[in-house]
Short mmCIF file of all heavy atoms in Angstrom, two decimals:
data_model
loop_
_atom_site.label_atom_id
_atom_site.label_comp_id
_atom_site.label_asym_id
_atom_site.label_seq_id
_atom_site.Cartn_x
_atom_site.Cartn_y
_atom_site.Cartn_z
N MET A 6 0.84 -1.18 0.00
CA MET A 6 0.00 0.00 0.00
C MET A 6 0.88 1.24 0.00
O MET A 6 1.82 1.37 0.79
CB MET A 6 -0.88 -0.04 1.26
CG MET A 6 -1.87 1.03 1.33
SD MET A 6 -3.30 0.53 0.42
CE MET A 6 -4.42 1.78 0.86
N VAL A 7 0.59 2.16 -0.88
CA VAL A 7 1.36 3.39 -1.01
C VAL A 7 0.69 4.48 -0.18
O VAL A 7 -0.51 4.72 -0.30
CB VAL A 7 1.44 3.82 -2.48
CG1 VAL A 7 2.19 5.13 -2.62
CG2 VAL A 7 2.09 2.74 -3.33
N SER A 8 1.48 5.15 0.65
CA SER A 8 0.93 6.21 1.48
C SER A 8 0.72 7.47 0.64
O SER A 8 1.35 7.64 -0.41
CB SER A 8 1.86 6.51 2.65
OG SER A 8 3.00 7.21 2.19
N PRO A 9 -0.14 8.37 1.11
CA PRO A 9 -0.33 9.63 0.38
C PRO A 9 0.96 10.45 0.26
O PRO A 9 1.19 11.09 -0.77
CB PRO A 9 -1.36 10.38 1.23
CG PRO A 9 -2.06 9.34 2.02
CD PRO A 9 -1.05 8.24 2.24
N GLU A 10 1.81 10.39 1.28
CA GLU A 10 3.08 11.13 1.23
C GLU A 10 3.99 10.57 0.14
O GLU A 10 4.63 11.33 -0.59
CB GLU A 10 3.80 11.06 2.59
CG GLU A 10 3.09 11.81 3.70
CD GLU A 10 2.00 10.96 4.37
OE1 GLU A 10 1.94 9.73 4.13
OE2 GLU A 10 1.20 11.54 5.12
N GLU A 11 4.05 9.23 0.02
CA GLU A 11 4.87 8.61 -1.01
C GLU A 11 4.35 8.98 -2.40
O GLU A 11 5.13 9.30 -3.30
CB GLU A 11 4.87 7.09 -0.84
CG GLU A 11 5.59 6.63 0.41
CD GLU A 11 5.37 5.16 0.70
OE1 GLU A 11 4.39 4.57 0.23
OE2 GLU A 11 6.21 4.59 1.43
N ARG A 12 3.05 8.94 -2.57
CA ARG A 12 2.44 9.27 -3.87
C ARG A 12 2.71 10.73 -4.23
O ARG A 12 3.07 11.05 -5.36
CB ARG A 12 0.93 8.99 -3.82
CG ARG A 12 0.26 9.14 -5.18
CD ARG A 12 -1.18 8.69 -5.16
NE ARG A 12 -1.24 7.25 -4.96
CZ ARG A 12 -1.89 6.66 -3.96
NH1 ARG A 12 -2.54 7.37 -3.08
NH2 ARG A 12 -1.90 5.35 -3.85
N GLN A 13 2.54 11.63 -3.25
CA GLN A 13 2.75 13.05 -3.49
C GLN A 13 4.21 13.35 -3.86
O GLN A 13 4.49 14.10 -4.80
CB GLN A 13 2.34 13.87 -2.27
CG GLN A 13 2.49 15.36 -2.47
CD GLN A 13 2.10 16.13 -1.22
OE1 GLN A 13 2.18 15.63 -0.10
NE2 GLN A 13 1.69 17.37 -1.40
N LEU A 14 5.15 12.76 -3.14
CA LEU A 14 6.55 12.99 -3.43
C LEU A 14 6.92 12.40 -4.79
O LEU A 14 7.67 13.01 -5.56
CB LEU A 14 7.45 12.40 -2.34
CG LEU A 14 8.94 12.65 -2.50
CD1 LEU A 14 9.25 14.14 -2.61
CD2 LEU A 14 9.72 12.02 -1.38
N GLY A 15 6.39 11.25 -5.12
CA GLY A 15 6.62 10.66 -6.44
C GLY A 15 6.14 11.57 -7.55
O GLY A 15 6.83 11.76 -8.56
N THR A 16 4.99 12.18 -7.35
CA THR A 16 4.44 13.12 -8.34
C THR A 16 5.34 14.34 -8.47
O THR A 16 5.63 14.80 -9.58
CB THR A 16 3.02 13.54 -7.94
OG1 THR A 16 2.19 12.38 -7.89
CG2 THR A 16 2.44 14.54 -8.93
N ARG A 17 5.82 14.87 -7.34
CA ARG A 17 6.72 16.03 -7.38
C ARG A 17 8.01 15.70 -8.12
O ARG A 17 8.50 16.51 -8.91
CB ARG A 17 7.04 16.50 -5.96
CG ARG A 17 5.90 17.23 -5.28
CD ARG A 17 6.27 17.70 -3.88
NE ARG A 17 7.44 18.56 -3.88
CZ ARG A 17 8.26 18.69 -2.84
NH1 ARG A 17 8.02 18.05 -1.71
NH2 ARG A 17 9.30 19.50 -2.91
N LEU A 18 8.55 14.51 -7.88
CA LEU A 18 9.77 14.10 -8.57
C LEU A 18 9.52 13.96 -10.07
O LEU A 18 10.34 14.36 -10.90
CB LEU A 18 10.30 12.78 -7.99
CG LEU A 18 10.93 12.88 -6.60
CD1 LEU A 18 11.11 11.50 -5.99
CD2 LEU A 18 12.26 13.61 -6.65
N ASP A 19 8.37 13.37 -10.44
CA ASP A 19 8.02 13.22 -11.85
C ASP A 19 7.87 14.59 -12.53
O ASP A 19 8.25 14.74 -13.69
CB ASP A 19 6.72 12.42 -12.02
CG ASP A 19 6.89 10.96 -11.67
OD1 ASP A 19 8.03 10.45 -11.73
OD2 ASP A 19 5.87 10.32 -11.35
N GLU A 20 7.31 15.55 -11.82
CA GLU A 20 7.16 16.90 -12.38
C GLU A 20 8.51 17.58 -12.55
O GLU A 20 8.71 18.37 -13.46
CB GLU A 20 6.25 17.75 -11.50
CG GLU A 20 4.80 17.31 -11.54
CD GLU A 20 3.94 17.99 -10.50
OE1 GLU A 20 4.48 18.71 -9.61
OE2 GLU A 20 2.71 17.79 -10.53
N ASP A 21 9.45 17.27 -11.66
CA ASP A 21 10.78 17.89 -11.71
C ASP A 21 11.61 17.32 -12.87
O ASP A 21 12.28 18.06 -13.57
CB ASP A 21 11.52 17.68 -10.39
CG ASP A 21 12.86 18.36 -10.37
OD1 ASP A 21 12.89 19.61 -10.31
OD2 ASP A 21 13.89 17.64 -10.44
N HIS A 22 11.57 15.99 -13.05
CA HIS A 22 12.39 15.38 -14.09
C HIS A 22 11.89 13.97 -14.41
O HIS A 22 11.22 13.34 -13.60
CB HIS A 22 13.86 15.31 -13.65
CG HIS A 22 14.11 14.41 -12.48
ND1 HIS A 22 13.84 14.79 -11.18
CD2 HIS A 22 14.57 13.14 -12.41
CE1 HIS A 22 14.16 13.80 -10.36
NE2 HIS A 22 14.59 12.78 -11.09
N LEU A 23 12.24 13.50 -15.61
CA LEU A 23 11.94 12.13 -15.99
C LEU A 23 12.92 11.20 -15.29
O LEU A 23 14.09 11.56 -15.11
CB LEU A 23 12.07 11.96 -17.51
CG LEU A 23 11.07 12.72 -18.36
CD1 LEU A 23 11.43 12.57 -19.83
CD2 LEU A 23 9.66 12.22 -18.11
N PRO A 24 12.48 10.01 -14.90
CA PRO A 24 13.41 9.07 -14.28
C PRO A 24 14.57 8.73 -15.23
O PRO A 24 14.35 8.55 -16.42
CB PRO A 24 12.56 7.83 -14.01
CG PRO A 24 11.16 8.33 -13.97
CD PRO A 24 11.12 9.47 -14.94
N GLU A 25 15.75 8.69 -14.69
CA GLU A 25 16.94 8.33 -15.46
C GLU A 25 17.50 7.04 -14.87
O GLU A 25 18.22 7.08 -13.87
CB GLU A 25 17.98 9.45 -15.40
CG GLU A 25 17.49 10.76 -15.97
CD GLU A 25 18.47 11.90 -15.76
OE1 GLU A 25 19.62 11.65 -15.35
OE2 GLU A 25 18.08 13.05 -15.99
N THR A 26 17.14 5.91 -15.45
CA THR A 26 17.63 4.63 -14.95
C THR A 26 18.56 4.01 -15.97
O THR A 26 18.62 4.43 -17.12
CB THR A 26 16.46 3.66 -14.67
OG1 THR A 26 15.84 3.31 -15.91
CG2 THR A 26 15.43 4.28 -13.74
N ASN A 27 19.28 2.96 -15.57
CA ASN A 27 20.19 2.30 -16.49
C ASN A 27 19.48 1.20 -17.28
O ASN A 27 20.11 0.46 -18.02
CB ASN A 27 21.41 1.75 -15.76
CG ASN A 27 21.07 0.63 -14.80
OD1 ASN A 27 19.95 0.16 -14.74
ND2 ASN A 27 22.06 0.21 -14.02
N GLY A 28 18.18 1.08 -17.13
CA GLY A 28 17.41 0.08 -17.87
C GLY A 28 17.28 -1.24 -17.16
O GLY A 28 16.40 -2.03 -17.48
N ARG A 29 18.15 -1.54 -16.22
CA ARG A 29 18.07 -2.81 -15.48
C ARG A 29 17.56 -2.58 -14.07
O ARG A 29 16.73 -3.33 -13.58
CB ARG A 29 19.45 -3.46 -15.43
CG ARG A 29 19.98 -3.90 -16.75
CD ARG A 29 21.30 -4.64 -16.59
NE ARG A 29 22.24 -3.93 -15.73
CZ ARG A 29 23.28 -3.26 -16.14
NH1 ARG A 29 23.54 -3.15 -17.42
NH2 ARG A 29 24.08 -2.67 -15.30
N MET A 30 18.09 -1.56 -13.43
CA MET A 30 17.68 -1.27 -12.06
C MET A 30 16.65 -0.15 -12.06
O MET A 30 16.80 0.82 -12.79
CB MET A 30 18.89 -0.86 -11.21
CG MET A 30 19.88 -1.98 -11.02
SD MET A 30 21.24 -1.49 -9.97
CE MET A 30 20.42 -1.13 -8.44
N ALA A 31 15.65 -0.30 -11.26
CA ALA A 31 14.58 0.71 -11.18
C ALA A 31 14.92 1.76 -10.13
O ALA A 31 14.20 1.95 -9.17
CB ALA A 31 13.26 0.03 -10.89
N VAL A 32 16.06 2.42 -10.33
CA VAL A 32 16.50 3.51 -9.44
C VAL A 32 16.93 4.67 -10.31
O VAL A 32 17.73 4.51 -11.23
CB VAL A 32 17.68 3.05 -8.54
CG1 VAL A 32 18.20 4.20 -7.71
CG2 VAL A 32 17.25 1.90 -7.65
N CYS A 33 16.40 5.83 -10.03
CA CYS A 33 16.74 7.03 -10.80
C CYS A 33 18.16 7.47 -10.46
O CYS A 33 18.49 7.68 -9.30
CB CYS A 33 15.74 8.15 -10.49
SG CYS A 33 16.06 9.69 -11.37
N ARG A 34 18.99 7.60 -11.49
CA ARG A 34 20.38 8.04 -11.28
C ARG A 34 20.45 9.49 -10.86
O ARG A 34 21.41 9.90 -10.21
CB ARG A 34 21.18 7.88 -12.57
CG ARG A 34 21.52 6.45 -12.89
CD ARG A 34 22.36 6.40 -14.11
NE ARG A 34 21.48 6.13 -15.23
CZ ARG A 34 21.88 5.90 -16.46
NH1 ARG A 34 23.15 5.96 -16.75
NH2 ARG A 34 21.03 5.64 -17.40
N ARG A 35 19.46 10.27 -11.22
CA ARG A 35 19.50 11.70 -10.92
C ARG A 35 19.20 11.99 -9.46
O ARG A 35 19.90 12.76 -8.82
CB ARG A 35 18.51 12.43 -11.82
CG ARG A 35 18.60 13.90 -11.75
CD ARG A 35 17.94 14.53 -12.93
NE ARG A 35 17.95 15.97 -12.77
CZ ARG A 35 17.24 16.77 -13.52
NH1 ARG A 35 16.49 16.30 -14.47
NH2 ARG A 35 17.29 18.06 -13.31
N CYS A 36 18.15 11.39 -8.91
CA CYS A 36 17.75 11.72 -7.54
C CYS A 36 17.89 10.55 -6.57
O CYS A 36 17.78 10.74 -5.37
CB CYS A 36 16.31 12.23 -7.52
SG CYS A 36 15.08 10.99 -7.98
N GLY A 37 18.09 9.34 -7.07
CA GLY A 37 18.25 8.18 -6.21
C GLY A 37 16.97 7.51 -5.77
O GLY A 37 16.99 6.55 -5.01
N ALA A 38 15.83 7.98 -6.26
CA ALA A 38 14.55 7.40 -5.86
C ALA A 38 14.28 6.11 -6.62
O ALA A 38 14.67 5.96 -7.78
CB ALA A 38 13.40 8.38 -6.12
N VAL A 39 13.60 5.20 -5.97
CA VAL A 39 13.15 3.97 -6.62
C VAL A 39 12.05 4.36 -7.60
O VAL A 39 11.29 5.30 -7.37
CB VAL A 39 12.61 2.98 -5.56
CG1 VAL A 39 11.94 1.78 -6.22
CG2 VAL A 39 13.72 2.54 -4.64
N THR A 40 12.01 3.65 -8.74
CA THR A 40 10.95 3.88 -9.71
C THR A 40 10.13 2.60 -9.85
O THR A 40 10.55 1.53 -9.43
CB THR A 40 11.53 4.28 -11.09
OG1 THR A 40 12.32 3.21 -11.59
CG2 THR A 40 12.36 5.55 -10.98
N ASP A 41 8.95 2.71 -10.46
CA ASP A 41 8.11 1.53 -10.66
C ASP A 41 8.64 0.62 -11.75
O ASP A 41 8.16 -0.49 -11.93
CB ASP A 41 6.67 1.94 -10.99
CG ASP A 41 5.89 2.30 -9.75
OD1 ASP A 41 6.30 1.90 -8.65
OD2 ASP A 41 4.86 2.98 -9.87
N GLY A 42 9.60 1.07 -12.50
CA GLY A 42 10.21 0.29 -13.57
C GLY A 42 11.30 1.12 -14.21
O GLY A 42 11.51 2.27 -13.84
N PRO A 43 11.98 0.57 -15.21
CA PRO A 43 13.06 1.32 -15.86
C PRO A 43 12.61 2.64 -16.48
O PRO A 43 13.39 3.57 -16.57
CB PRO A 43 13.56 0.36 -16.94
CG PRO A 43 13.17 -0.99 -16.47
CD PRO A 43 11.88 -0.80 -15.70
N GLN A 44 11.36 2.76 -16.87
CA GLN A 44 10.85 3.99 -17.46
C GLN A 44 10.10 4.88 -16.47
O GLN A 44 9.62 5.94 -16.84
CB GLN A 44 9.94 3.66 -18.64
CG GLN A 44 10.60 2.82 -19.70
CD GLN A 44 11.84 3.46 -20.28
OE1 GLN A 44 11.86 4.65 -20.57
NE2 GLN A 44 12.90 2.68 -20.41
N GLY A 45 9.97 4.46 -15.24
CA GLY A 45 9.30 5.26 -14.22
C GLY A 45 7.87 4.84 -14.03
O GLY A 45 7.48 3.81 -14.52
N PRO A 46 7.09 5.58 -13.32
CA PRO A 46 7.35 6.83 -12.63
C PRO A 46 8.10 6.62 -11.31
O PRO A 46 8.30 5.48 -10.88
CB PRO A 46 5.95 7.39 -12.38
CG PRO A 46 5.10 6.17 -12.22
CD PRO A 46 5.70 5.15 -13.17
N HIS A 47 8.49 7.73 -10.68
CA HIS A 47 9.16 7.66 -9.38
C HIS A 47 8.20 7.06 -8.36
O HIS A 47 7.01 7.34 -8.37
CB HIS A 47 9.56 9.06 -8.91
CG HIS A 47 10.68 9.65 -9.70
ND1 HIS A 47 10.46 10.43 -10.81
CD2 HIS A 47 12.02 9.59 -9.54
CE1 HIS A 47 11.62 10.82 -11.30
NE2 HIS A 47 12.59 10.33 -10.55
N ALA A 48 8.75 6.25 -7.47
CA ALA A 48 7.95 5.61 -6.43
C ALA A 48 8.75 5.51 -5.13
O ALA A 48 9.10 4.42 -4.69
CB ALA A 48 7.50 4.22 -6.89
N PRO A 49 9.10 6.66 -4.51
CA PRO A 49 9.90 6.62 -3.28
C PRO A 49 9.15 5.89 -2.17
O PRO A 49 7.92 5.93 -2.10
CB PRO A 49 10.10 8.09 -2.94
CG PRO A 49 8.99 8.80 -3.60
CD PRO A 49 8.67 8.01 -4.84
N ARG A 50 9.89 5.21 -1.34
CA ARG A 50 9.30 4.43 -0.25
C ARG A 50 9.97 4.74 1.07
O ARG A 50 11.17 4.96 1.12
CB ARG A 50 9.46 2.93 -0.53
CG ARG A 50 8.84 2.42 -1.80
CD ARG A 50 7.33 2.38 -1.69
NE ARG A 50 6.74 1.74 -2.85
CZ ARG A 50 6.12 2.38 -3.83
NH1 ARG A 50 6.02 3.67 -3.80
NH2 ARG A 50 5.61 1.73 -4.84
N GLY A 51 9.19 4.73 2.12
CA GLY A 51 9.67 4.82 3.50
C GLY A 51 10.78 5.79 3.78
O GLY A 51 10.60 7.00 3.76
N ALA A 52 11.97 5.25 4.05
CA ALA A 52 13.11 6.06 4.46
C ALA A 52 13.58 7.00 3.36
O ALA A 52 14.24 8.00 3.64
CB ALA A 52 14.26 5.16 4.88
N GLN A 53 13.23 6.73 2.12
CA GLN A 53 13.64 7.60 1.02
C GLN A 53 12.90 8.93 1.02
O GLN A 53 13.35 9.88 0.40
CB GLN A 53 13.36 6.93 -0.32
CG GLN A 53 14.33 5.87 -0.70
CD GLN A 53 14.07 5.43 -2.13
OE1 GLN A 53 12.92 5.33 -2.56
NE2 GLN A 53 15.14 5.21 -2.86
N LEU A 54 11.76 8.99 1.69
CA LEU A 54 10.94 10.20 1.64
C LEU A 54 11.71 11.43 2.09
O LEU A 54 11.68 12.46 1.42
CB LEU A 54 9.68 10.04 2.48
CG LEU A 54 8.67 9.02 1.98
CD1 LEU A 54 7.50 8.90 2.95
CD2 LEU A 54 8.18 9.38 0.60
N VAL A 55 12.41 11.35 3.18
CA VAL A 55 13.15 12.51 3.70
C VAL A 55 14.27 12.88 2.75
O VAL A 55 14.43 14.05 2.38
CB VAL A 55 13.70 12.22 5.11
CG1 VAL A 55 14.63 13.33 5.57
CG2 VAL A 55 12.56 12.05 6.09
N ARG A 56 15.04 11.89 2.32
CA ARG A 56 16.19 12.16 1.44
C ARG A 56 15.74 12.75 0.11
O ARG A 56 16.30 13.72 -0.37
CB ARG A 56 16.98 10.87 1.20
CG ARG A 56 18.20 11.08 0.34
CD ARG A 56 19.08 9.85 0.29
NE ARG A 56 18.36 8.63 0.00
CZ ARG A 56 18.28 8.08 -1.22
NH1 ARG A 56 18.86 8.65 -2.24
NH2 ARG A 56 17.61 6.97 -1.40
N ASN A 57 14.69 12.17 -0.49
CA ASN A 57 14.22 12.68 -1.78
C ASN A 57 13.55 14.05 -1.65
O ASN A 57 13.66 14.88 -2.55
CB ASN A 57 13.26 11.69 -2.43
CG ASN A 57 13.95 10.42 -2.88
OD1 ASN A 57 13.42 9.34 -2.70
ND2 ASN A 57 15.14 10.52 -3.43
N SER A 58 12.90 14.30 -0.54
CA SER A 58 12.31 15.61 -0.30
C SER A 58 13.41 16.66 -0.16
O SER A 58 13.31 17.76 -0.72
CB SER A 58 11.42 15.58 0.94
OG SER A 58 10.82 16.82 1.15
N GLN A 59 14.47 16.32 0.54
CA GLN A 59 15.60 17.23 0.69
C GLN A 59 16.27 17.48 -0.66
O GLN A 59 16.69 18.59 -0.96
CB GLN A 59 16.62 16.67 1.68
CG GLN A 59 16.14 16.70 3.11
CD GLN A 59 17.07 15.97 4.06
OE1 GLN A 59 17.91 15.17 3.64
NE2 GLN A 59 16.91 16.24 5.34
N TRP A 60 16.35 16.44 -1.50
CA TRP A 60 16.94 16.59 -2.83
C TRP A 60 16.13 17.59 -3.65
O TRP A 60 16.70 18.47 -4.30
CB TRP A 60 16.98 15.23 -3.53
CG TRP A 60 17.67 15.28 -4.86
CD1 TRP A 60 19.00 15.12 -5.10
CD2 TRP A 60 17.06 15.54 -6.13
NE1 TRP A 60 19.25 15.27 -6.45
CE2 TRP A 60 18.07 15.52 -7.11
CE3 TRP A 60 15.76 15.78 -6.54
CZ2 TRP A 60 17.82 15.72 -8.45
CZ3 TRP A 60 15.51 15.99 -7.89
CH2 TRP A 60 16.54 15.96 -8.82
N LEU A 61 14.79 17.48 -3.61
CA LEU A 61 13.93 18.42 -4.33
C LEU A 61 14.11 19.84 -3.82
O LEU A 61 14.18 20.79 -4.61
CB LEU A 61 12.47 18.01 -4.20
CG LEU A 61 11.96 16.99 -5.20
CD1 LEU A 61 10.55 16.55 -4.84
CD2 LEU A 61 12.00 17.52 -6.61
N ASP A 62 14.18 20.01 -2.50
CA ASP A 62 14.38 21.34 -1.91
C ASP A 62 15.71 21.95 -2.37
O ASP A 62 15.79 23.13 -2.69
CB ASP A 62 14.32 21.28 -0.39
CG ASP A 62 12.95 20.94 0.14
OD1 ASP A 62 11.96 21.05 -0.62
OD2 ASP A 62 12.86 20.54 1.32
N THR A 63 16.75 21.13 -2.40
CA THR A 63 18.06 21.59 -2.85
C THR A 63 18.02 22.01 -4.31
O THR A 63 18.58 23.04 -4.68
CB THR A 63 19.12 20.49 -2.63
OG1 THR A 63 19.17 20.17 -1.24
CG2 THR A 63 20.50 20.94 -3.10
N GLN A 64 17.35 21.24 -5.14
CA GLN A 64 17.23 21.58 -6.56
C GLN A 64 16.50 22.91 -6.74
O GLN A 64 16.85 23.71 -7.60
CB GLN A 64 16.53 20.47 -7.33
CG GLN A 64 17.29 19.16 -7.37
CD GLN A 64 18.70 19.31 -7.89
OE1 GLN A 64 18.93 19.84 -8.97
NE2 GLN A 64 19.67 18.86 -7.11
N ALA A 65 15.47 23.14 -5.93
CA ALA A 65 14.72 24.40 -6.00
C ALA A 65 15.62 25.58 -5.62
O ALA A 65 15.58 26.64 -6.25
CB ALA A 65 13.50 24.34 -5.10
N ARG A 66 16.45 25.39 -4.59
CA ARG A 66 17.38 26.46 -4.19
C ARG A 66 18.39 26.74 -5.28
O ARG A 66 18.70 27.90 -5.59
CB ARG A 66 18.11 26.07 -2.90
CG ARG A 66 17.28 26.28 -1.67
CD ARG A 66 18.11 26.11 -0.40
NE ARG A 66 17.27 25.55 0.61
CZ ARG A 66 17.30 24.30 1.06
NH1 ARG A 66 18.19 23.46 0.60
NH2 ARG A 66 16.46 23.89 1.97
N ILE A 67 18.95 25.68 -5.88
CA ILE A 67 19.92 25.85 -6.96
C ILE A 67 19.30 26.61 -8.13
O ILE A 67 19.91 27.51 -8.70
CB ILE A 67 20.46 24.47 -7.41
CG1 ILE A 67 21.35 23.88 -6.31
CG2 ILE A 67 21.22 24.58 -8.73
CD1 ILE A 67 21.72 22.42 -6.54
N SER A 68 18.08 26.25 -8.47
CA SER A 68 17.37 26.92 -9.56
C SER A 68 17.12 28.40 -9.22
O SER A 68 17.30 29.27 -10.07
CB SER A 68 16.04 26.21 -9.82
OG SER A 68 15.31 26.88 -10.80
N GLY A 69 16.73 28.68 -8.00
CA GLY A 69 16.50 30.06 -7.57
C GLY A 69 17.77 30.90 -7.62
O GLY A 69 17.74 32.06 -8.05
N ILE A 70 18.87 30.31 -7.22
CA ILE A 70 20.16 31.02 -7.26
C ILE A 70 20.54 31.32 -8.70
O ILE A 70 20.98 32.42 -9.03
CB ILE A 70 21.25 30.21 -6.54
CG1 ILE A 70 20.98 30.19 -5.03
CG2 ILE A 70 22.65 30.77 -6.85
CD1 ILE A 70 21.82 29.19 -4.26
N ALA A 71 20.36 30.34 -9.59
CA ALA A 71 20.69 30.53 -11.00
C ALA A 71 19.83 31.64 -11.62
O ALA A 71 20.34 32.47 -12.39
CB ALA A 71 20.52 29.24 -11.77
N LYS A 72 18.55 31.67 -11.29
CA LYS A 72 17.66 32.72 -11.81
C LYS A 72 18.07 34.09 -11.29
O LYS A 72 18.05 35.07 -12.04
CB LYS A 72 16.21 32.43 -11.43
CG LYS A 72 15.62 31.28 -12.22
CD LYS A 72 14.22 30.98 -11.76
CE LYS A 72 13.68 29.74 -12.47
NZ LYS A 72 12.35 29.38 -11.99
N ALA A 73 18.44 34.17 -10.02
CA ALA A 73 18.88 35.45 -9.45
C ALA A 73 20.16 35.93 -10.13
O ALA A 73 20.30 37.12 -10.43
CB ALA A 73 19.09 35.31 -7.96
N ARG A 74 21.09 35.03 -10.39
CA ARG A 74 22.33 35.39 -11.08
C ARG A 74 22.03 35.91 -12.49
O ARG A 74 22.65 36.86 -12.94
CB ARG A 74 23.27 34.21 -11.17
CG ARG A 74 23.99 33.93 -9.90
CD ARG A 74 25.01 32.82 -10.08
NE ARG A 74 25.66 32.54 -8.83
CZ ARG A 74 26.19 31.38 -8.51
NH1 ARG A 74 26.14 30.38 -9.35
NH2 ARG A 74 26.77 31.23 -7.35
N ASP A 75 21.09 35.25 -13.16
CA ASP A 75 20.74 35.68 -14.52
C ASP A 75 20.16 37.10 -14.50
O ASP A 75 20.45 37.91 -15.37
CB ASP A 75 19.71 34.73 -15.15
CG ASP A 75 20.33 33.39 -15.54
OD1 ASP A 75 21.58 33.32 -15.61
OD2 ASP A 75 19.56 32.45 -15.78
N ARG A 76 19.33 37.40 -13.50
CA ARG A 76 18.75 38.74 -13.39
C ARG A 76 19.82 39.80 -13.15
O ARG A 76 19.76 40.90 -13.67
CB ARG A 76 17.70 38.78 -12.29
CG ARG A 76 16.38 38.19 -12.71
CD ARG A 76 15.33 38.42 -11.64
NE ARG A 76 14.69 37.13 -11.42
CZ ARG A 76 14.60 36.49 -10.28
NH1 ARG A 76 15.07 37.02 -9.17
NH2 ARG A 76 14.00 35.32 -10.20
N VAL A 77 20.78 39.47 -12.30
CA VAL A 77 21.85 40.41 -11.95
C VAL A 77 22.78 40.64 -13.15
O VAL A 77 23.24 41.75 -13.39
CB VAL A 77 22.66 39.89 -10.74
CG1 VAL A 77 23.92 40.70 -10.54
CG2 VAL A 77 21.80 39.91 -9.50
N ASN A 78 23.03 39.59 -13.93
CA ASN A 78 23.97 39.67 -15.04
C ASN A 78 23.37 40.25 -16.31
O ASN A 78 24.06 40.34 -17.31
CB ASN A 78 24.57 38.30 -15.34
CG ASN A 78 25.46 37.83 -14.21
OD1 ASN A 78 26.08 38.64 -13.54
ND2 ASN A 78 25.53 36.53 -14.00
N ARG A 79 22.14 40.65 -16.30
CA ARG A 79 21.53 41.24 -17.51
C ARG A 79 21.96 42.63 -17.72
O ARG A 79 22.26 43.48 -17.16
CB ARG A 79 19.99 41.21 -17.39
CG ARG A 79 19.45 39.85 -17.63
CD ARG A 79 17.97 39.94 -17.68
NE ARG A 79 17.43 38.62 -17.37
CZ ARG A 79 16.16 38.36 -17.32
NH1 ARG A 79 15.29 39.30 -17.53
NH2 ARG A 79 15.74 37.17 -17.05
#
């Protein structure tokens, strides 16, 4: 049974990027989340929730910094 938190985080990861797996293992190389198969979608479980949520937060910060730099450098 998938919890609402797992489903929500999986959706957020899918919106951020397509799963990047090696075709054999159902683990995204980009964020480290388990996927439902080599083509996805993301399906983080249990202990991965905190780590994958932190990964998404970090990506948002990196993106915000890059946008701020672009505004300053115009």
Side-chain angles (χ1 to χ4, degrees):
M6 185 85 171
V7 178
S8 73
E10 292 85 11
E11 292 169 339
R12 187 173 292 122
Q13 182 182 26
L14 183 57
T16 300
R17 286 181 57 206
L18 288 166
D19 289 337
E20 290 170 352
D21 183 71
H22 65 281
L23 294 173
E25 299 173 11
T26 67
N27 66 7
R29 295 185 312 256
M30 294 182 62
V32 175
C33 180
R34 286 183 263 186
R35 189 162 175 193
C36 66
V39 172
T40 62
D41 279 341
Q44 303 302 316
H47 290 91
R50 302 287 187 255
Q53 284 188 321
L54 293 177
V55 172
R56 182 171 49 98
N57 292 138
S58 182
Q59 289 172 342
W60 185 88
L61 274 172
D62 292 343
T63 301
Q64 295 306 306
R66 281 190 213 106
I67 290 169
S68 177
I70 291 168
K72 287 177 185 177
R74 282 185 182 153
D75 287 345
R76 281 187 229 123
V77 169
N78 292 329
R79 284 187 203 179

